[in-house]
Amino acid sequence: MKETRIVKYIKSIIRNHPYTTTEDIMLILERYYNLPIKVPSVYYKYRTIIKNCRQDVYMERRKKKDV
C-alpha cells in the first residue's frame, strides 16, 4: 500500500489511540478530509484501507516487542 498522507494519518490514529473502532476513524476522516463516507463505494474502500493499516501497525508492534 502506498504511504499517502491519509494512510499515514490513519496509522497515527491507530498507534496513538489503540481502541478506536473503524467507524470512529471513518467519522474523523469524514470531518477532516471531507470524505463522503455515506457513499458505499467510498465506505468499503476506506474500510479495507483501515484494515490494512491496522495490520501494518500491529506488525510493527510485534517486531518492536521482539527486539
Side-chain angles (χ1 to χ4, degrees):
M1 181 172 30
K2 249 169 88 174
E3 282 286 320
T4 58
R5 186 178 70 197
I6 199 159
V7 168
K8 287 179 182 177
Y9 184 67
I10 293 170
K11 283 183 177 183
S12 72
I13 292 173
I14 294 170
R15 277 188 202 103
N16 297 325
H17 306 281
Y19 296 109
T20 47
T21 62
T22 303
E23 284 74 26
D24 293 339
I25 294 172
M26 295 272 199
L27 292 172
I28 292 169
L29 294 178
E30 187 176 30
R31 183 184 299 154
Y32 293 116
Y33 286 98
N34 297 323
L35 289 175
I37 295 300
K38 290 178 177 46
V39 177
S41 62
V42 175
Y43 176 81
Y44 290 115
K45 176 184 176 191
Y46 278 94
R47 193 177 76 173
T48 57
I49 289 174
I50 292 171
K51 182 179 174 188
N52 292 335
C53 288
R54 203 176 291 275
Q55 288 175 348
D56 290 346
V57 169
Y58 289 171
M59 268 179 30
E60 289 172 11
R61 279 188 199 158
R62 264 186 269 129
K63 284 181 183 176
K64 200 178 234 182
K65 196 175 182 181
D66 290 341
V67 171

